[in-house]
Amino acid sequence: MPSSTYSPEKVIPVYATLTGIGIALTITRIWARTRYIRVSLAADDAAAAAAAVFVTGAVGLQITNAILGTAGDDIKLAETQRRARIALQANWVNPLLEAFAFGLIKLSLSFFYRRIFGVWPTFRRINNAVIVLLVGYSLAFGFGQLFLCGTNFYLIWADLDQHRARERCAERGHFQFFFALFSVLTDILVVGLPLLFVAKLQMSTRRKWASAAVFFLGFASTGASIARLIYVSVALKYDWFSFNFKPAPGEPAIPSPIFETLNPTLLATIEMALGLWGANLPALSPLMRNMHPLRRVGEIYGKITSLWSSTSVTDRRLLSKEESKDGYRKPSSASIER
Protein backbone atom coordinates (compact mmCIF):
# COMPACT_ATOMS: atom_id res chain seq x y z
CA MET A 1 0.00 0.00 0.00
CA PRO A 2 1.59 3.31 -0.99
CA SER A 3 2.56 5.32 1.99
CA SER A 4 0.85 8.43 0.62
CA THR A 5 -2.55 6.76 0.28
CA TYR A 6 -3.49 7.43 3.89
CA SER A 7 -1.02 10.12 4.84
CA PRO A 8 -1.61 12.20 8.01
CA GLU A 9 -2.72 15.27 6.04
CA LYS A 10 -5.47 13.13 4.47
CA VAL A 11 -6.75 11.07 7.39
CA ILE A 12 -6.52 13.54 10.27
CA PRO A 13 -9.12 15.99 8.82
CA VAL A 14 -11.49 13.03 8.21
CA TYR A 15 -11.02 11.74 11.76
CA ALA A 16 -11.36 15.16 13.36
CA THR A 17 -14.40 16.27 11.34
CA LEU A 18 -16.47 13.11 11.75
CA THR A 19 -15.66 12.78 15.43
CA GLY A 20 -16.13 16.49 16.12
CA ILE A 21 -19.63 16.37 14.67
CA GLY A 22 -20.39 13.27 16.74
CA ILE A 23 -19.24 14.98 19.94
CA ALA A 24 -21.26 18.10 19.06
CA LEU A 25 -24.37 15.98 18.49
CA THR A 26 -23.86 14.24 21.85
CA ILE A 27 -23.51 17.56 23.68
CA THR A 28 -26.56 18.92 21.86
CA ARG A 29 -28.52 15.81 22.81
CA ILE A 30 -27.76 16.29 26.51
CA TRP A 31 -28.56 20.02 26.28
CA ALA A 32 -31.86 19.30 24.50
CA ARG A 33 -32.89 16.77 27.13
CA THR A 34 -31.99 18.88 30.16
CA ARG A 35 -32.66 22.41 28.91
CA TYR A 36 -34.94 22.27 25.89
CA ILE A 37 -37.53 19.64 26.80
CA ARG A 38 -36.48 19.64 30.49
CA VAL A 39 -36.54 15.95 31.35
CA SER A 40 -34.11 13.81 33.28
CA LEU A 41 -31.30 12.04 31.48
CA ALA A 42 -31.92 8.34 30.92
CA ALA A 43 -29.90 5.19 30.18
CA ASP A 44 -29.78 5.93 26.45
CA ASP A 45 -28.24 9.36 27.12
CA ALA A 46 -25.63 7.88 29.48
CA ALA A 47 -24.72 5.21 26.91
CA ALA A 48 -24.38 7.85 24.17
CA ALA A 49 -22.11 9.98 26.36
CA ALA A 50 -19.95 6.97 27.27
CA ALA A 51 -19.77 5.98 23.60
CA ALA A 52 -18.55 9.49 22.75
CA VAL A 53 -15.72 9.06 25.27
CA PHE A 54 -14.61 5.73 23.75
CA VAL A 55 -14.92 7.04 20.19
CA THR A 56 -12.85 10.10 21.10
CA GLY A 57 -10.22 7.88 22.71
CA ALA A 58 -10.03 5.58 19.69
CA VAL A 59 -9.84 8.47 17.21
CA GLY A 60 -7.24 10.25 19.34
CA LEU A 61 -5.18 7.07 19.27
CA GLN A 62 -5.43 6.88 15.49
CA ILE A 63 -4.47 10.54 15.10
CA THR A 64 -1.38 9.75 17.19
CA ASN A 65 -0.77 6.76 14.92
CA ALA A 66 -1.13 8.99 11.87
CA ILE A 67 1.43 11.46 13.18
CA LEU A 68 3.90 9.15 14.89
CA GLY A 69 3.05 5.75 13.41
CA THR A 70 1.84 4.68 9.98
CA ALA A 71 -1.62 6.27 9.68
CA GLY A 72 -3.31 2.87 9.81
CA ASP A 73 -1.37 1.40 6.87
CA ASP A 74 -0.29 -2.22 7.21
CA ILE A 75 3.02 -2.73 8.97
CA LYS A 76 5.92 -3.98 6.87
CA LEU A 77 9.58 -4.51 7.73
CA ALA A 78 10.52 -1.46 5.67
CA GLU A 79 8.99 0.81 8.33
CA THR A 80 11.32 2.34 10.86
CA GLN A 81 11.32 0.52 14.19
CA ARG A 82 9.92 3.43 16.17
CA ARG A 83 7.00 4.12 13.84
CA ALA A 84 6.28 0.43 13.38
CA ARG A 85 6.08 -0.24 17.13
CA ILE A 86 3.78 2.74 17.69
CA ALA A 87 1.52 1.47 14.92
CA LEU A 88 1.53 -2.09 16.27
CA GLN A 89 0.52 -0.84 19.71
CA ALA A 90 -2.18 1.45 18.29
CA ASN A 91 -3.60 -1.28 16.08
CA TRP A 92 -3.81 -3.59 19.12
CA VAL A 93 -5.54 -1.09 21.45
CA ASN A 94 -7.88 0.42 18.85
CA PRO A 95 -10.09 -2.69 18.30
CA LEU A 96 -10.47 -2.91 22.08
CA LEU A 97 -11.87 0.65 22.18
CA GLU A 98 -13.96 -0.07 19.08
CA ALA A 99 -15.67 -3.03 20.76
CA PHE A 100 -16.85 -0.93 23.70
CA ALA A 101 -17.69 2.09 21.51
CA PHE A 102 -19.85 0.02 19.14
CA GLY A 103 -21.58 -1.71 22.04
CA LEU A 104 -22.39 1.56 23.80
CA ILE A 105 -23.65 3.18 20.60
CA LYS A 106 -26.05 0.31 20.00
CA LEU A 107 -27.08 0.18 23.65
CA SER A 108 -27.95 3.88 23.43
CA LEU A 109 -30.23 3.18 20.47
CA SER A 110 -31.78 0.16 22.19
CA PHE A 111 -32.57 2.14 25.36
CA PHE A 112 -33.93 5.01 23.26
CA TYR A 113 -36.27 2.73 21.30
CA ARG A 114 -37.36 1.15 24.58
CA ARG A 115 -38.64 4.54 25.79
CA ILE A 116 -40.85 4.76 22.71
CA PHE A 117 -42.06 1.18 22.17
CA GLY A 118 -41.69 -0.15 25.71
CA VAL A 119 -45.47 -0.25 26.18
CA TRP A 120 -45.51 -3.43 24.10
CA PRO A 121 -44.62 -6.47 26.24
CA THR A 122 -43.34 -8.28 23.15
CA PHE A 123 -41.00 -5.41 22.34
CA ARG A 124 -39.74 -5.25 25.92
CA ARG A 125 -38.86 -8.94 25.94
CA ILE A 126 -37.02 -8.80 22.62
CA ASN A 127 -35.36 -5.53 23.61
CA ASN A 128 -34.13 -7.09 26.86
CA ALA A 129 -32.58 -9.96 24.89
CA VAL A 130 -30.92 -7.50 22.49
CA ILE A 131 -29.45 -5.50 25.39
CA VAL A 132 -27.99 -8.67 26.95
CA LEU A 133 -26.59 -9.65 23.54
CA LEU A 134 -24.96 -6.24 23.07
CA VAL A 135 -23.34 -6.33 26.51
CA GLY A 136 -21.99 -9.81 25.79
CA TYR A 137 -20.82 -8.70 22.32
CA SER A 138 -18.81 -5.79 23.73
CA LEU A 139 -17.28 -7.74 26.60
CA ALA A 140 -16.40 -10.80 24.50
CA PHE A 141 -14.70 -8.93 21.67
CA GLY A 142 -13.23 -6.21 23.90
CA PHE A 143 -11.53 -8.58 26.33
CA GLY A 144 -10.80 -11.05 23.54
CA GLN A 145 -8.75 -8.35 21.81
CA LEU A 146 -7.07 -7.36 25.07
CA PHE A 147 -5.95 -10.91 25.82
CA LEU A 148 -4.98 -12.06 22.31
CA CYS A 149 -1.58 -12.96 23.74
CA GLY A 150 -2.82 -13.76 27.24
CA THR A 151 -1.14 -11.44 29.71
CA ASN A 152 1.99 -11.21 27.55
CA PHE A 153 0.85 -7.99 25.93
CA TYR A 154 4.37 -7.06 24.83
CA LEU A 155 4.39 -9.88 22.26
CA ILE A 156 2.23 -7.71 19.99
CA TRP A 157 5.06 -5.24 19.40
CA ALA A 158 8.20 -6.98 20.74
CA ASP A 159 9.26 -8.20 17.27
CA LEU A 160 8.57 -6.16 14.19
CA ASP A 161 7.90 -9.31 12.18
CA GLN A 162 5.74 -10.63 15.07
CA HIS A 163 7.17 -14.15 14.80
CA ARG A 164 6.79 -14.75 18.55
CA ALA A 165 3.23 -13.43 18.46
CA ARG A 166 2.44 -15.94 15.70
CA GLU A 167 3.73 -18.78 17.87
CA ARG A 168 2.23 -17.77 21.21
CA CYS A 169 -0.87 -15.62 20.55
CA ALA A 170 -4.38 -16.50 19.41
CA GLU A 171 -5.21 -16.53 15.70
CA ARG A 172 -6.75 -13.14 14.96
CA GLY A 173 -8.04 -13.53 11.41
CA HIS A 174 -11.28 -15.30 12.39
CA PHE A 175 -11.53 -13.07 15.45
CA GLN A 176 -11.56 -9.95 13.24
CA PHE A 177 -14.01 -11.59 10.83
CA PHE A 178 -16.57 -12.44 13.52
CA PHE A 179 -16.14 -8.99 15.09
CA ALA A 180 -16.99 -7.34 11.74
CA LEU A 181 -19.82 -9.82 11.07
CA PHE A 182 -21.44 -9.28 14.47
CA SER A 183 -21.14 -5.52 13.99
CA VAL A 184 -23.27 -5.70 10.82
CA LEU A 185 -25.76 -8.19 12.30
CA THR A 186 -26.29 -6.17 15.48
CA ASP A 187 -26.79 -3.02 13.39
CA ILE A 188 -29.62 -4.76 11.55
CA LEU A 189 -31.07 -6.20 14.75
CA VAL A 190 -31.00 -2.98 16.78
CA VAL A 191 -32.43 -0.70 14.10
CA GLY A 192 -34.67 -3.27 12.44
CA LEU A 193 -36.59 -4.13 15.63
CA PRO A 194 -38.45 -0.79 15.99
CA LEU A 195 -39.21 -0.81 12.27
CA LEU A 196 -41.24 -3.99 12.77
CA PHE A 197 -43.35 -2.24 15.39
CA VAL A 198 -43.82 0.91 13.30
CA ALA A 199 -45.59 -1.37 10.80
CA LYS A 200 -48.15 -2.26 13.50
CA LEU A 201 -49.23 1.34 14.12
CA GLN A 202 -52.70 2.34 12.96
CA MET A 203 -51.74 5.09 10.50
CA SER A 204 -51.52 5.61 6.76
CA THR A 205 -48.74 3.94 4.76
CA ARG A 206 -47.26 7.35 4.00
CA ARG A 207 -47.03 8.23 7.68
CA LYS A 208 -45.52 4.84 8.48
CA TRP A 209 -42.74 5.44 5.97
CA ALA A 210 -42.15 8.91 7.37
CA SER A 211 -41.99 7.43 10.88
CA ALA A 212 -39.59 4.71 9.78
CA ALA A 213 -37.28 7.38 8.32
CA VAL A 214 -36.62 8.64 11.86
CA PHE A 215 -35.37 5.20 12.93
CA PHE A 216 -33.41 4.62 9.74
CA LEU A 217 -31.02 7.28 11.04
CA GLY A 218 -29.64 4.52 13.25
CA PHE A 219 -28.24 2.87 10.10
CA ALA A 220 -25.83 5.78 9.57
CA SER A 221 -22.72 3.63 10.05
CA THR A 222 -23.88 0.36 8.49
CA GLY A 223 -22.35 1.12 5.08
CA ALA A 224 -18.89 1.40 6.66
CA SER A 225 -19.61 -1.78 8.65
CA ILE A 226 -20.38 -3.70 5.45
CA ALA A 227 -17.27 -2.33 3.71
CA ARG A 228 -15.13 -3.44 6.65
CA LEU A 229 -16.73 -6.89 6.63
CA ILE A 230 -15.90 -7.24 2.91
CA TYR A 231 -12.29 -6.24 3.58
CA VAL A 232 -11.94 -8.67 6.51
CA SER A 233 -13.54 -11.50 4.50
CA VAL A 234 -10.95 -11.09 1.73
CA ALA A 235 -8.19 -10.76 4.35
CA LEU A 236 -9.29 -14.02 5.96
CA LYS A 237 -9.02 -15.79 2.61
CA TYR A 238 -5.37 -14.77 2.26
CA ASP A 239 -4.50 -15.05 5.98
CA TRP A 240 -3.69 -11.31 5.82
CA PHE A 241 -4.39 -10.62 9.49
CA SER A 242 -2.10 -13.36 10.76
CA PHE A 243 0.89 -12.35 12.83
CA ASN A 244 4.10 -12.50 10.77
CA PHE A 245 2.13 -12.60 7.49
CA LYS A 246 4.06 -14.01 4.54
CA PRO A 247 2.55 -14.54 1.06
CA ALA A 248 2.35 -18.06 -0.27
CA PRO A 249 5.05 -19.12 -2.76
CA GLY A 250 4.38 -17.58 -6.13
CA GLU A 251 1.91 -14.98 -4.79
CA PRO A 252 2.58 -11.22 -4.81
CA ALA A 253 3.48 -9.43 -1.57
CA ILE A 254 0.03 -7.79 -1.63
CA PRO A 255 -2.27 -10.64 -2.76
CA SER A 256 -5.44 -8.62 -3.41
CA PRO A 257 -6.10 -5.11 -4.83
CA ILE A 258 -8.52 -4.47 -1.95
CA PHE A 259 -5.55 -4.22 0.42
CA GLU A 260 -4.19 -1.33 -1.67
CA THR A 261 -7.45 0.61 -1.84
CA LEU A 262 -9.08 0.16 1.58
CA ASN A 263 -7.76 0.86 5.04
CA PRO A 264 -9.51 -1.13 7.80
CA THR A 265 -8.51 1.38 10.47
CA LEU A 266 -10.06 4.23 8.50
CA LEU A 267 -13.22 2.19 7.88
CA ALA A 268 -13.54 1.36 11.59
CA THR A 269 -13.06 5.02 12.53
CA ILE A 270 -15.71 6.15 10.05
CA GLU A 271 -18.02 3.42 11.37
CA MET A 272 -17.57 4.60 14.95
CA ALA A 273 -18.05 8.28 14.15
CA LEU A 274 -21.13 7.74 11.97
CA GLY A 275 -22.48 5.33 14.57
CA LEU A 276 -22.25 8.13 17.14
CA TRP A 277 -24.20 10.34 14.73
CA GLY A 278 -26.84 7.65 14.30
CA ALA A 279 -27.18 7.18 18.06
CA ASN A 280 -27.83 10.89 18.62
CA LEU A 281 -29.86 12.05 15.63
CA PRO A 282 -33.13 10.22 16.48
CA ALA A 283 -32.98 11.62 20.03
CA LEU A 284 -32.61 15.15 18.63
CA SER A 285 -35.89 14.99 16.72
CA PRO A 286 -37.78 17.14 19.30
CA LEU A 287 -35.24 19.90 18.68
CA MET A 288 -35.68 19.52 14.93
CA ARG A 289 -39.37 20.41 15.14
CA ASN A 290 -38.50 24.09 15.01
CA MET A 291 -35.63 23.76 12.53
CA HIS A 292 -36.67 24.07 8.89
CA PRO A 293 -36.26 21.91 6.72
CA LEU A 294 -36.04 19.23 9.44
CA ARG A 295 -39.27 20.33 11.08
CA ARG A 296 -41.31 17.59 9.41
CA VAL A 297 -38.99 14.85 10.78
CA GLY A 298 -39.39 16.28 14.27
CA GLU A 299 -43.15 16.40 13.91
CA ILE A 300 -43.25 12.74 12.93
CA TYR A 301 -41.11 11.86 15.96
CA GLY A 302 -43.41 13.87 18.21
CA LYS A 303 -46.44 11.99 16.92
CA ILE A 304 -44.77 8.65 17.62
CA THR A 305 -43.64 9.50 21.14
CA SER A 306 -47.05 10.93 22.04
CA LEU A 307 -48.80 7.88 20.61
CA TRP A 308 -50.05 6.66 23.97
CA SER A 309 -51.78 9.95 24.80
CA SER A 310 -53.20 10.86 21.41
CA THR A 311 -53.96 7.70 19.43
CA SER A 312 -57.49 6.56 18.80
CA VAL A 313 -59.35 4.21 21.12
CA THR A 314 -59.09 1.60 18.36
CA ASP A 315 -55.27 1.75 18.46
CA ARG A 316 -55.22 1.26 22.21
CA ARG A 317 -57.62 -1.64 22.05
CA LEU A 318 -55.30 -3.35 19.59
CA LEU A 319 -52.44 -2.90 22.05
CA SER A 320 -54.62 -4.20 24.86
CA LYS A 321 -55.43 -7.34 22.86
CA GLU A 322 -51.74 -8.04 22.42
CA GLU A 323 -51.13 -7.52 26.12
CA SER A 324 -53.93 -9.97 26.88
CA LYS A 325 -52.26 -12.57 24.66
CA ASP A 326 -49.06 -12.07 26.65
CA GLY A 327 -50.83 -12.69 29.95
CA TYR A 328 -51.82 -9.14 30.84
CA ARG A 329 -55.32 -8.26 31.94
CA LYS A 330 -57.24 -6.44 29.25
CA PRO A 331 -58.28 -3.00 30.55
CA SER A 332 -61.91 -2.00 30.49
CA SER A 333 -63.28 0.46 27.96
CA ALA A 334 -63.72 3.08 30.66
CA SER A 335 -60.12 2.83 31.71
CA ILE A 336 -59.00 2.98 28.08
CA GLU A 337 -60.93 6.17 27.46
CA ARG A 338 -59.49 7.70 30.60
Side-chain angles (χ1 to χ4, degrees), residues 14-23 25 55 59 101-102 105 220-221 266-280:
V14 175
Y15 293 165
T17 301
L18 293 178
T19 308
I21 294 173
I23 293 171
L25 289 172
V55 171
V59 173
F102 291 146
I105 287 169
S221 66
L266 180 62
L267 289 175
T269 303
I270 292 173
E271 184 181 351
M272 279 190 297
L274 293 183
L276 191 59
W277 292 22
N280 285 302

Short mmCIF file of all heavy atoms in Angstrom, two decimals, residues 14-23 25 55 59 101-102 105 220-221 266-280:
data_model
loop_
_atom_site.label_atom_id
_atom_site.label_comp_id
_atom_site.label_asym_id
_atom_site.label_seq_id
_atom_site.Cartn_x
_atom_site.Cartn_y
_atom_site.Cartn_z
N VAL A 14 -10.31 13.92 8.22
CA VAL A 14 -11.49 13.03 8.21
C VAL A 14 -11.82 12.61 9.64
O VAL A 14 -12.98 12.69 10.08
CB VAL A 14 -11.21 11.80 7.33
CG1 VAL A 14 -12.38 10.82 7.42
CG2 VAL A 14 -10.98 12.22 5.89
N TYR A 15 -10.80 12.15 10.38
CA TYR A 15 -11.02 11.74 11.76
C TYR A 15 -11.60 12.87 12.60
O TYR A 15 -12.58 12.70 13.33
CB TYR A 15 -9.70 11.28 12.40
CG TYR A 15 -9.11 10.02 11.84
CD1 TYR A 15 -7.79 9.67 12.11
CD2 TYR A 15 -9.86 9.15 11.04
CE1 TYR A 15 -7.24 8.50 11.63
CE2 TYR A 15 -9.30 7.99 10.55
CZ TYR A 15 -7.99 7.66 10.84
OH TYR A 15 -7.45 6.50 10.35
N ALA A 16 -10.96 14.04 12.51
CA ALA A 16 -11.36 15.16 13.36
C ALA A 16 -12.76 15.66 13.03
O ALA A 16 -13.55 15.97 13.93
CB ALA A 16 -10.34 16.29 13.22
N THR A 17 -13.08 15.75 11.74
CA THR A 17 -14.40 16.27 11.34
C THR A 17 -15.53 15.34 11.76
O THR A 17 -16.50 15.77 12.39
CB THR A 17 -14.44 16.47 9.81
OG1 THR A 17 -13.41 17.39 9.43
CG2 THR A 17 -15.80 17.01 9.39
N LEU A 18 -15.40 14.05 11.42
CA LEU A 18 -16.47 13.11 11.75
C LEU A 18 -16.66 12.98 13.26
O LEU A 18 -17.80 12.97 13.75
CB LEU A 18 -16.15 11.73 11.16
CG LEU A 18 -16.14 11.63 9.63
CD1 LEU A 18 -15.76 10.21 9.20
CD2 LEU A 18 -17.49 12.00 9.05
N THR A 19 -15.56 12.91 13.98
CA THR A 19 -15.66 12.78 15.43
C THR A 19 -16.14 14.06 16.08
O THR A 19 -16.94 14.03 17.03
CB THR A 19 -14.30 12.37 16.03
OG1 THR A 19 -13.81 11.23 15.33
CG2 THR A 19 -14.43 12.05 17.51
N GLY A 20 -15.68 15.21 15.58
CA GLY A 20 -16.13 16.49 16.12
C GLY A 20 -17.63 16.68 16.00
O GLY A 20 -18.29 17.14 16.93
N ILE A 21 -18.18 16.28 14.85
CA ILE A 21 -19.63 16.37 14.67
C ILE A 21 -20.34 15.43 15.63
O ILE A 21 -21.37 15.78 16.23
CB ILE A 21 -20.01 16.06 13.22
CG1 ILE A 21 -19.47 17.15 12.27
CG2 ILE A 21 -21.53 15.95 13.06
CD1 ILE A 21 -19.66 16.85 10.80
N GLY A 22 -19.79 14.23 15.80
CA GLY A 22 -20.39 13.27 16.74
C GLY A 22 -20.41 13.79 18.17
O GLY A 22 -21.41 13.65 18.89
N ILE A 23 -19.31 14.41 18.59
CA ILE A 23 -19.24 14.98 19.94
C ILE A 23 -20.24 16.14 20.07
O ILE A 23 -20.93 16.26 21.08
CB ILE A 23 -17.81 15.46 20.24
CG1 ILE A 23 -16.86 14.26 20.33
CG2 ILE A 23 -17.77 16.26 21.55
CD1 ILE A 23 -15.40 14.65 20.42
N LEU A 25 -23.02 16.54 18.43
CA LEU A 25 -24.37 15.98 18.49
C LEU A 25 -24.66 15.41 19.88
O LEU A 25 -25.78 15.55 20.39
CB LEU A 25 -24.54 14.88 17.44
CG LEU A 25 -24.60 15.33 15.97
CD1 LEU A 25 -24.58 14.14 15.04
CD2 LEU A 25 -25.85 16.19 15.73
N VAL A 55 -15.21 6.66 21.57
CA VAL A 55 -14.92 7.04 20.19
C VAL A 55 -13.82 8.08 20.15
O VAL A 55 -12.88 8.00 19.34
CB VAL A 55 -16.19 7.58 19.50
CG1 VAL A 55 -15.85 8.18 18.13
CG2 VAL A 55 -17.22 6.47 19.32
N VAL A 59 -10.25 7.55 18.28
CA VAL A 59 -9.84 8.47 17.21
C VAL A 59 -8.56 9.21 17.61
O VAL A 59 -7.67 9.41 16.79
CB VAL A 59 -10.98 9.45 16.89
CG1 VAL A 59 -10.50 10.51 15.90
CG2 VAL A 59 -12.17 8.70 16.30
N ALA A 101 -17.00 0.96 22.15
CA ALA A 101 -17.69 2.09 21.51
C ALA A 101 -18.91 1.60 20.73
O ALA A 101 -20.01 2.14 20.86
CB ALA A 101 -16.73 2.84 20.58
N PHE A 102 -18.73 0.55 19.91
CA PHE A 102 -19.85 0.02 19.14
C PHE A 102 -20.96 -0.48 20.06
O PHE A 102 -22.14 -0.26 19.81
CB PHE A 102 -19.37 -1.13 18.23
CG PHE A 102 -18.49 -0.70 17.10
CD1 PHE A 102 -17.47 -1.52 16.65
CD2 PHE A 102 -18.67 0.52 16.48
CE1 PHE A 102 -16.65 -1.13 15.61
CE2 PHE A 102 -17.86 0.92 15.43
CZ PHE A 102 -16.84 0.09 14.99
N ILE A 105 -22.83 2.51 21.61
CA ILE A 105 -23.65 3.18 20.60
C ILE A 105 -24.96 2.42 20.38
O ILE A 105 -26.05 3.01 20.36
CB ILE A 105 -22.87 3.31 19.27
CG1 ILE A 105 -21.79 4.39 19.40
CG2 ILE A 105 -23.81 3.65 18.11
CD1 ILE A 105 -20.80 4.40 18.25
N ALA A 220 -26.81 4.86 10.13
CA ALA A 220 -25.83 5.78 9.57
C ALA A 220 -24.47 5.14 9.31
O ALA A 220 -23.78 5.47 8.35
CB ALA A 220 -25.66 6.99 10.49
N SER A 221 -24.07 4.20 10.16
CA SER A 221 -22.72 3.63 10.05
C SER A 221 -22.69 2.26 9.38
O SER A 221 -21.61 1.69 9.21
CB SER A 221 -22.11 3.48 11.45
OG SER A 221 -22.83 2.54 12.22
N LEU A 266 -9.24 3.10 8.91
CA LEU A 266 -10.06 4.23 8.50
C LEU A 266 -11.53 3.84 8.44
O LEU A 266 -12.41 4.60 8.89
CB LEU A 266 -9.60 4.73 7.13
CG LEU A 266 -10.37 5.91 6.53
CD1 LEU A 266 -10.24 7.14 7.41
CD2 LEU A 266 -9.88 6.22 5.12
N LEU A 267 -11.83 2.65 7.94
CA LEU A 267 -13.22 2.19 7.88
C LEU A 267 -13.82 2.07 9.27
O LEU A 267 -14.97 2.46 9.51
CB LEU A 267 -13.29 0.83 7.17
CG LEU A 267 -13.03 0.83 5.66
CD1 LEU A 267 -13.01 -0.59 5.13
CD2 LEU A 267 -14.10 1.65 4.93
N ALA A 268 -13.04 1.52 10.22
CA ALA A 268 -13.54 1.36 11.59
C ALA A 268 -13.78 2.72 12.24
O ALA A 268 -14.76 2.91 12.98
CB ALA A 268 -12.55 0.55 12.42
N THR A 269 -12.90 3.68 11.95
CA THR A 269 -13.06 5.02 12.53
C THR A 269 -14.30 5.71 11.97
O THR A 269 -15.07 6.34 12.71
CB THR A 269 -11.81 5.87 12.27
OG1 THR A 269 -10.66 5.20 12.79
CG2 THR A 269 -11.93 7.24 12.92
N ILE A 270 -14.51 5.59 10.66
CA ILE A 270 -15.71 6.15 10.05
C ILE A 270 -16.96 5.48 10.62
O ILE A 270 -17.96 6.13 10.92
CB ILE A 270 -15.66 5.98 8.52
CG1 ILE A 270 -14.55 6.86 7.93
CG2 ILE A 270 -17.00 6.33 7.88
CD1 ILE A 270 -14.32 6.65 6.45
N GLU A 271 -16.88 4.16 10.81
CA GLU A 271 -18.02 3.42 11.37
C GLU A 271 -18.36 3.90 12.77
O GLU A 271 -19.53 4.09 13.11
CB GLU A 271 -17.67 1.93 11.39
CG GLU A 271 -18.80 1.03 11.87
CD GLU A 271 -18.41 -0.43 11.89
OE1 GLU A 271 -17.31 -0.76 11.38
OE2 GLU A 271 -19.18 -1.24 12.43
N MET A 272 -17.33 4.11 13.59
CA MET A 272 -17.57 4.60 14.95
C MET A 272 -18.18 6.00 14.95
O MET A 272 -19.15 6.27 15.67
CB MET A 272 -16.26 4.62 15.75
CG MET A 272 -15.85 3.29 16.32
SD MET A 272 -14.46 3.47 17.47
CE MET A 272 -13.19 4.09 16.37
N ALA A 273 -17.58 6.89 14.16
CA ALA A 273 -18.05 8.28 14.15
C ALA A 273 -19.48 8.38 13.63
O ALA A 273 -20.33 9.05 14.23
CB ALA A 273 -17.12 9.14 13.30
N LEU A 274 -19.77 7.70 12.51
CA LEU A 274 -21.13 7.74 11.97
C LEU A 274 -22.11 7.02 12.90
O LEU A 274 -23.29 7.39 12.98
CB LEU A 274 -21.16 7.11 10.58
CG LEU A 274 -20.41 7.87 9.48
CD1 LEU A 274 -20.59 7.17 8.13
CD2 LEU A 274 -20.86 9.32 9.39
N GLY A 275 -21.63 5.98 13.60
CA GLY A 275 -22.48 5.33 14.57
C GLY A 275 -22.88 6.27 15.69
O GLY A 275 -24.03 6.25 16.17
N LEU A 276 -21.94 7.12 16.11
CA LEU A 276 -22.25 8.13 17.14
C LEU A 276 -23.28 9.12 16.61
O LEU A 276 -24.18 9.55 17.35
CB LEU A 276 -20.97 8.84 17.57
CG LEU A 276 -21.04 9.73 18.80
CD1 LEU A 276 -21.49 8.94 20.03
CD2 LEU A 276 -19.68 10.39 19.07
N TRP A 277 -23.17 9.49 15.33
CA TRP A 277 -24.20 10.34 14.73
C TRP A 277 -25.55 9.64 14.80
O TRP A 277 -26.55 10.23 15.23
CB TRP A 277 -23.88 10.58 13.25
CG TRP A 277 -22.68 11.41 12.95
CD1 TRP A 277 -21.60 11.66 13.76
CD2 TRP A 277 -22.41 12.07 11.71
NE1 TRP A 277 -20.68 12.43 13.10
CE2 TRP A 277 -21.14 12.70 11.84
CE3 TRP A 277 -23.09 12.18 10.51
CZ2 TRP A 277 -20.57 13.44 10.81
CZ3 TRP A 277 -22.53 12.91 9.48
CH2 TRP A 277 -21.27 13.54 9.63
N GLY A 278 -25.58 8.38 14.35
CA GLY A 278 -26.84 7.65 14.30
C GLY A 278 -27.47 7.45 15.66
O GLY A 278 -28.70 7.39 15.77
N ALA A 279 -26.65 7.35 16.70
CA ALA A 279 -27.18 7.18 18.06
C ALA A 279 -27.82 8.46 18.57
O ALA A 279 -28.74 8.41 19.39
CB ALA A 279 -26.07 6.73 19.01
N ASN A 280 -27.35 9.61 18.10
CA ASN A 280 -27.83 10.89 18.62
C ASN A 280 -28.93 11.54 17.79
O ASN A 280 -29.80 12.22 18.34
CB ASN A 280 -26.65 11.87 18.74
CG ASN A 280 -25.74 11.56 19.90
OD1 ASN A 280 -26.16 11.53 21.05
ND2 ASN A 280 -24.47 11.32 19.62
#
